[in-house]
Amino acid sequence: MKIPEQKSIALGKMEDRQKPVMEARQISYREAYDVNWSLHNRINSNLMPDSLGSGNIAYPFVHTFYALVSPQKYGKTHPEYFSEVDGKRLIKETNTGGQLCLTNPEVVKIATATVFEWIKTHPEASVYTVDQNDGEGHCECTNCKKIDDQEGSYSGTLIHFVNQIADSVAKVYPEVKLQTLAYAYTEIPPKNIRPAKNVIIRLCHYDYCSAHPLGQCDNHKVYVERLDQWSKIASQVTIWDYYTNFERYLLPFPNFETLKHDVKFYADRKAIGLFPEGNNVSDNGGGEFSELRAWIFSQLLWNPERDAQALIDEFVQNVYGPAAPYVSEYIKMMHEQVKPKSAYFSIWTDPEDVNYLGLETIQKADSLFSMAKAIAKKDTALYKRVELAYLPVLYTRLYFYATGGTAYLSREQMPEALAAFKRILAANSITSMGVVELEPGNIPNFIKSVESSDRFIKDWWLTGPFDNENRKGFDTIYAPEKGFDSTAVFTGKNSIQTKWTRYNSNESGYIDLAKMFNPKKNVVSYAYRKFESPVARKMQFGVGSNDGVKVWVNGKLELSRPVLRAAKPNDDVITVAVKKGANTILVKVDQLGNKWGFYFTERN
């Protein structure tokens, strides 16, 4: 790390007063949870006490409906206080997936009393949050539905509810502000109701394109329109935005163009704050270029007019020293690939679905970091920083290996690569790679998947698509189920002529049917292969599919799962009898949503 040194500093008479453009400057990165770091970089988060100049403490933090009206206290005696979904009152144990009945006057009364209690017990706060819980579950009772229908959005009942509390608070505490989310099902502004003057709207840019800056991608068009609408009807708007892959903090996430551009975009629209949610495992997590991102945000939230690329270059040069050219080249290479309008990835995108993790790219990235590590080798501290920057590339190689991509990492290379992965994690105290409760962030399970001896079966004959409207195709017996003939021609969906096509890839064990066939909605396809067994025996196969799947072995149906799910290796495990000599496998996979494909493993 470069720390400038001078024997003496001479200062003449000077006066320097600055006012940050963004009033609310909280950063959700591991580094920003350090009070000294935040103080030095002028962050005024909830963690920063008033004595150190916070001035921007929200209480409670977010998703507060069940803190306002407790399901533990009222759930059994007053289920009518909670959201009605499909004719039943939905009461959850946690603040995910359940909401309140916002038109019930008793709910308003209890929630208002709770807010007054918060003001009394937490006078240090500058804003009090009246936020919907995470997930869905909005109330569909007659009164709630009437308001939402009139307003053309579920934000109708939300703003109606918050305004009642805000009006009561304003009479006693005219300086106090309330804050509520415009998030997921409440993102659309109401047609007629307007937030009270003491209500701040926190608009969430949730699950849009992360590759391109706001205003430069059609995927953002609807969101930008809603941002402008909220800005017109609300006295103050602040933003909650997302800048990481939530399931995989270590996955390369080339979104620096959005980071460089979007803070100013929001400031130009008079947003009073931005909460960039990143790798927010405060005690034991980490992520790709986490410290770089946190520092850039701290500078831009104070002054969005600064040259963000110059800031990135400054950070890379000073943190990576003689290895900086290789790190810069890596960053440039990754971001060049996502510039085309056709490129897309979001905060929930799987590694198989992005365009920037191809074999050639990762091989080039690995080569760049090999050169960076060679230069840094004599400097222990520098070498550790370079290794941490390399960790996402190493994670990517291990991920694809664990899902059958032996081109990324051979079986002979794996032990050394996995040992390096474990060592870098330990050296940087990283014990989680994603949002804690989500499976992909679990390090022991990830390591177990890498060490697995399962063999991914990747050589198939494929044909399709066939019709699956209303999921009727899942049980329809199409021609490929009647016998295999490599020369056969079938009539598929929309009268498309289709035949068997050979498929084999060493880049992934995921057979991505969505890339193979069109149309790719409400369809089914088939995969067929023949294999030899030296003896009659029992064999175990693992199947993961998106969506439903059927498996026949030697013509016998061994698995039928009409599910709606994302594909993961070994979601289903079947044990089957195979005969000596030639055996056959036929797989049928249907598609209901966006993705479509399967994994098939031979278990040991």
Side-chain angles (χ1 to χ4, degrees):
M1 192 74 70
K2 183 177 179 181
I3 303 176
E5 293 184 5
Q6 286 182 279
K7 292 183 178 180
S8 62
I9 300 176
L11 296 176
K13 184 177 181 181
M14 62 184 296
E15 181 175 328
D16 182 9
R17 293 176 178 265
Q18 297 183 24
K19 181 180 179 181
V21 173
M22 293 289 190
E23 295 178 21
R25 302 180 307 284
Q26 182 167 350
I27 297 176
S28 177
Y29 285 89
R30 180 183 186 183
E31 290 71 21
Y33 290 111
D34 182 278
V35 172
N36 290 326
W37 188 97
S38 291
L39 180 62
H40 180 76
N41 289 289
R42 299 177 292 192
I43 299 302
N44 60 353
S45 70
N46 279 17
L47 299 177
M48 190 71 66
D50 268 347
S51 60
L52 295 178
S54 173
N56 185 56
I57 296 175
Y59 184 85
F61 178 56
V62 74
H63 299 314
T64 61
F65 270 7
Y66 280 2
L68 289 162
V69 181
S70 168
Q72 287 75 28
K73 183 175 181 179
Y74 296 106
K76 291 183 179 179
T77 57
H78 292 282
E80 72 275 11
Y81 291 176
F82 302 92
S83 54
E84 180 183 309
V85 179
D86 295 330
K88 297 181 180 179
R89 293 292 171 174
L90 183 64
I91 304 172
K92 297 281 189 175
E93 293 183 0
T94 65
N95 62 351
T96 299
Q99 311 292 344
L100 299 177
C101 178
L102 300 179
T103 55
N104 187 310
E106 288 301 310
V107 171
V108 177
K109 181 179 178 181
I110 295 168
T112 301
T114 302
V115 171
F116 274 104
E117 183 65 20
W118 291 346
I119 296 171
K120 180 181 178 182
T121 56
H122 293 274
E124 74 281 2
S126 55
V127 61
Y128 300 88
T129 56
V130 181
D131 287 339
Q132 70 200 65
N133 288 338
D134 210 353
E136 299 293 324
H138 60 274
C139 188
E140 301 169 348
C141 77
T142 301
N143 291 334
C144 287
K145 187 177 185 304
K146 180 179 179 181
I147 293 176
D148 288 337
D149 287 348
Q150 289 173 345
E151 296 298 329
S153 171
Y154 302 117
S155 66
T157 46
L158 175 66
I159 301 303
H160 178 261
F161 172 73
V162 176
N163 279 352
Q164 292 177 76
I165 301 173
D167 289 344
S168 297
V169 169
K171 294 173 183 176
V172 183
Y173 301 103
E175 75 288 356
V176 165
K177 299 280 188 179
L178 301 186
Q179 182 172 274
T180 196
L181 293 172
Y183 166 60
Y185 66 87
T186 60
E187 183 185 304
I188 301 172
K191 292 179 180 178
N192 305 299
I193 297 175
R194 298 294 177 257
K197 289 184 178 181
N198 58 337
V199 172
I200 301 171
I201 298 297
R202 177 176 268 192
L203 177 63
C204 300
H205 182 235
Y206 180 70
D207 204 16
Y208 289 88
C209 175
S210 294
H212 306 111
L214 292 168
Q216 299 180 24
C217 173
D218 290 342
N219 182 260
H220 296 298
K221 185 177 179 181
V222 170
Y223 172 78
V224 172
E225 290 174 354
R226 292 170 183 173
L227 168 62
D228 290 340
Q229 291 166 5
W230 278 113
S231 297
K232 288 179 182 178
I233 68 174
S235 60
Q236 291 182 315
V237 173
T238 186
I239 304 296
W240 186 313
D241 210 335
Y242 307 81
Y243 293 92
T244 188
N245 185 307
F246 272 84
E247 292 184 316
R248 299 177 176 88
Y249 286 163
L250 290 183
L251 194 73
F253 200 74
N255 70 334
F256 283 5
E257 291 303 313
T258 67
L259 186 154
K260 288 157 53 177
H261 169 273
D262 288 357
V263 181
K264 185 176 185 304
F265 187 93
Y266 286 129
D268 289 344
R269 280 158 174 77
K270 310 303 179 185
I272 64 167
L274 170 63
F275 176 70
E277 184 170 356
N279 311 316
N280 65 336
V281 183
S282 58
D283 296 324
N284 58 1
E288 187 233 20
F289 288 127
S290 183
E291 189 170 16
L292 187 158
R293 295 171 186 276
W295 184 71
I296 298 298
F297 274 123
S298 72
Q299 304 307 301
L300 295 180
L301 290 173
W302 189 269
N303 179 9
E305 298 294 337
R306 295 193 66 179
D307 184 338
Q309 184 59 55
L311 291 170
I312 293 172
D313 294 341
E314 177 185 347
F315 184 97
V316 171
Q317 182 59 49
N318 285 282
V319 170
Y320 301 107
Y326 301 108
V327 177
S328 292
E329 180 63 24
Y330 164 73
I331 292 172
K332 180 180 178 182
M333 177 185 70
M334 299 300 284
H335 286 78
E336 283 292 328
Q337 298 195 53
V338 299
K339 283 185 177 180
K341 289 187 177 181
S342 59
Y344 174 87
F345 61 92
S346 75
I347 61 177
W348 299 111
T349 303
D350 292 329
E352 296 88 355
D353 298 326
V354 301
N355 75 315
Y356 58 84
L357 295 179
L359 179 61
E360 184 178 343
T361 299
I362 295 304
Q363 288 175 336
K364 177 68 179 298
D366 199 64
S367 175
L368 287 170
F369 275 105
S370 291
M371 291 184 283
K373 287 186 286 185
I375 284 181
K377 200 165 187 177
K378 293 182 180 180
D379 184 333
T380 303
L382 173 60
Y383 190 82
K384 181 179 177 181
R385 294 197 295 275
V386 171
E387 274 203 320
L388 181 59
Y390 170 63
L391 188 59
V393 177
L394 182 56
Y395 169 78
T396 300
R397 296 178 68 201
L398 289 165
Y399 173 85
F400 280 108
Y401 173 85
T403 54
T406 51
Y408 286 82
L409 194 67
S410 69
R411 287 188 177 272
E412 293 73 25
Q413 294 171 319
M414 184 276 286
E416 182 180 351
L418 184 58
F421 181 74
K422 294 176 181 178
R423 175 174 49 78
I424 299 170
L425 291 180
N428 292 276
S429 302
I430 298 173
T431 59
S432 178
M433 302 184 300
V435 177
V436 175
E437 63 268 22
L438 297 177
E439 173 65 26
N442 185 298
I443 290 175
N445 285 353
F446 175 71
I447 291 173
K448 184 178 179 181
S449 72
V450 175
E451 294 173 333
S452 168
S453 59
D454 291 353
R455 183 174 74 88
F456 284 81
I457 297 175
K458 297 173 284 187
D459 56 314
W460 298 91
W461 288 90
L462 303 177
T463 190
F466 298 89
D467 187 61
N468 191 36
E469 288 294 330
N470 300 315
R471 210 169 201 178
K472 293 180 180 179
F474 186 77
D475 289 321
T476 298
I477 301 174
Y478 289 110
E481 297 179 35
K482 300 175 183 179
F484 177 77
D485 177 357
S486 63
T487 64
V489 178
F490 311 112
T491 300
K493 183 162 183 170
N494 299 334
S495 299
I496 294 173
Q497 297 298 294
T498 181
K499 59 183 181 179
W500 289 106
T501 303
R502 291 303 302 262
Y503 175 91
N504 194 6
S505 172
N506 65 350
E507 293 191 18
S508 176
Y510 181 62
I511 315 303
D512 194 340
L513 300 172
K515 291 181 179 178
M516 297 292 297
F517 299 116
N518 272 306
K520 57 192 69 178
K521 187 174 183 179
N522 295 323
V523 286
V524 298
S525 71
Y526 293 89
Y528 172 89
R529 73 184 303 270
K530 182 183 290 187
F531 70 97
E532 297 284 330
S533 177
V535 295
R537 56 178 170 150
K538 294 281 188 178
M539 291 187 69
Q540 224 179 44
F541 297 111
V543 184
S545 62
N546 188 329
D547 291 295
V549 62
K550 288 186 176 184
V551 177
W552 293 263
V553 178
N554 294 328
K556 180 182 177 182
L557 182 64
E558 300 284 0
L559 177 67
S560 181
R561 293 274 281 149
V563 292
L564 175 63
R565 66 184 179 188
K568 292 189 299 183
N570 303 323
D571 268 334
D572 296 301
V573 175
I574 57 175
T575 301
V576 300
V578 301
K579 59 189 178 181
K580 180 180 178 180
N583 294 266
T584 63
I585 300 173
L586 180 67
V587 179
K588 181 179 187 178
V589 183
D590 79 345
Q591 194 275 349
L592 301 176
N594 295 317
K595 300 178 183 180
W596 184 28
F598 71 98
Y599 293 100
F600 202 96
T601 63
E602 182 181 323
R603 307 264 291 169
N604 291 319

